[in-house]
Amino acid sequence: MDNKIARNLSLKQFRAFVSVANCGSFSGAAQELAISQPALSLSIQQFEEIVGVPLLSRTTRSVSLTPLGQEFLPRAEKILADVESAILSTRTSAEKQKNRVTVAVLPSIAIRILPQAIRSYSALAPNVKIHMQDDNGRGVEAQVLNGDADFGISNSWSDNTELNYQPFLRDQMGLICRGDHKLARRKSPLTWSDLTDLSFVGMAPDTGTSRLTKGVEGLPTCVLSPDFTVLTIAALVGIIEGGEAVSALPALAAPDYLNPSLVYRSLSEPELYRELQLIIPKNRPLSSAADKFTEFLLGQYHEISSMFPNHTVKSATSLS
């Protein structure tokens, strides 16, 4: 369609034409559209001028469609129906999105934190549906930036200037080993130096866990230059189960809850914590539902920390 024609046409003119065609009179159409007859006649006149051909045949007693008008009528009706359908579909989508919150999270958050939080929140807001998508730290940020998620929960990956990072939780790094390992049975607190000369399983350099220990002074050589390097927790568990190797992970990422043969014990000297944050887009306001869910999560740290012994998971604002 010529751009000039498209700019001059209006839905009111389409409705006027369809109404006159179906009513067979200007008076009936004017009553149906709740406008005056002169206004309706002017609208039809302008419409025919834009289309460029006569669509209606007028006599003193009746109005009928010209042959071209008969050909044009079903197309005009379809245009109006398509517009109405598009509007209704958009409104329906908007209503669904209004009560839907998508959260991008680290796998450890997806397993240890979100399920219980979602159940608790659903009891308070049963009409809101929380959709969870797990990813690594880089992926969580990408989902928030791309609009695939309303917000994310992760440790800061890139300090992107288009994102706000709101402190949420901090979980302590600790030893992961088999339950029959000598360090698992030790009654005294463990320090990083206790890992000296042990066979160690490290996470790949491009992971948040690896970045926690990079450049930290005082850590054993085996931690900084591990015997094994893996990308997934599943691979780490497999190696530890099969021998004397040990590893270190943040408390929420510890696989002891999945495998009773493994244990987690916090490590000190130094105490290392993973800082978890709510990652929120700066230039895209949260929906009301997403905003309320973030407020709910921030108020849940007492319940979350109580699930983990010895204060290995704390509020991000807690330094004790």
Side-chain angles (χ1 to χ4, degrees):
M1 179 182 290
D2 183 272
N3 287 337
K4 185 176 180 181
I5 294 176
R7 285 196 300 269
N8 291 331
L9 283 172
S10 71
L11 289 177
K12 286 184 178 180
Q13 291 169 330
F14 273 96
R15 291 193 188 96
F17 166 70
V18 170
S19 182
V20 171
N22 289 330
C23 290
S25 70
F26 277 86
S27 59
Q31 185 175 0
E32 181 179 82
L33 297 171
I35 61 175
S36 67
Q37 271 191 242
L40 177 59
S41 296
L42 178 61
S43 180
I44 292 295
Q45 179 184 340
Q46 292 172 339
F47 188 57
E48 288 180 315
E49 288 176 356
I50 295 170
V51 174
V53 296
L55 301 173
L56 297 170
S57 176
R58 304 161 179 81
T59 68
T60 55
R61 295 184 178 181
S62 65
V63 178
S64 60
L65 289 168
T66 65
L68 289 174
Q70 292 176 352
E71 182 181 335
F72 187 76
L73 177 61
R75 296 181 181 180
E77 290 174 327
K78 185 176 186 304
I79 288 172
L80 291 174
D82 286 346
V83 170
E84 182 175 356
S85 175
I87 291 173
L88 290 175
S89 176
T90 301
R91 287 177 178 174
T92 300
S93 296
E95 188 64 26
K96 289 180 179 178
Q97 291 177 13
K98 184 174 69 174
N99 291 322
R100 177 185 172 93
V101 179
T102 300
V103 189
V105 297
L106 296 174
S108 56
I109 303 300
I111 297 172
R112 306 297 293 272
I113 301 297
L114 259 293
Q116 179 59 46
I118 291 173
R119 283 194 294 270
S120 298
Y121 190 70
S122 294
L124 300 174
N127 293 329
V128 177
K129 303 301 179 185
I130 310 296
H131 179 64
M132 180 173 59
Q133 300 175 163
D134 73 317
D135 210 328
N136 58 27
R138 179 185 285 110
V140 168
E141 287 195 357
Q143 287 194 46
V144 176
L145 284 169
N146 296 336
D148 296 327
D150 294 294
F151 68 94
I153 305 176
S154 175
N155 49 323
S156 175
W157 186 264
S158 65
D159 292 324
N160 193 296
T161 57
E162 296 181 29
L163 298 171
N164 280 323
Y165 298 87
Q166 186 167 358
F168 179 40
L169 293 172
R170 53 204 311 260
D171 56 339
Q172 188 176 358
M173 288 285 285
L175 170 74
I176 306 297
C177 65
R178 286 179 15 172
D180 58 359
H181 194 279
K182 61 181 181 180
L183 292 182
R185 299 192 300 268
R186 184 180 295 182
K187 295 182 179 180
S188 59
L190 298 180
T191 67
W192 285 93
S193 62
D194 292 321
L195 277 56
T196 301
D197 296 331
L198 294 181
S199 180
F200 192 84
V201 185
M203 297 299 292
D206 196 31
T207 60
T209 299
S210 176
R211 295 171 70 174
L212 288 174
T213 56
K214 184 178 180 180
V216 177
E217 294 183 2
L219 296 185
T221 302
C222 68
V223 175
L224 301 176
S225 299
D227 297 310
F228 306 93
T229 301
V230 298
L231 187 60
T232 66
I233 300 295
L236 179 146
V237 169
I239 295 173
I240 294 176
E241 282 183 323
E244 288 294 311
V246 302
S247 188
L249 291 172
L252 290 172
D256 55 320
Y257 65 97
L258 291 175
N259 190 321
S261 69
L262 302 182
V263 298
Y264 164 91
R265 292 197 58 184
S266 59
L267 291 166
S268 61
E269 299 181 17
E271 288 187 359
L272 298 180
Y273 286 88
R274 176 176 61 167
E275 304 291 340
L276 296 168
Q277 299 162 320
L278 300 184
I279 301 176
I280 300 170
K282 282 185 178 179
N283 301 321
R284 188 179 70 249
L286 291 178
S287 67
S288 175
D291 187 51
K292 290 178 180 177
F293 187 51
T294 60
E295 291 179 3
F296 173 81
L297 289 174
L298 289 170
Q300 287 292 296
Y301 69 85
H302 286 302
E303 288 77 3
I304 295 170
S305 60
S306 67
M307 297 163 53
F308 300 89
N310 304 321
H311 306 289
T312 54
V313 178
K314 308 178 182 181
S315 162
T317 58
S318 172
L319 299 177
S320 59

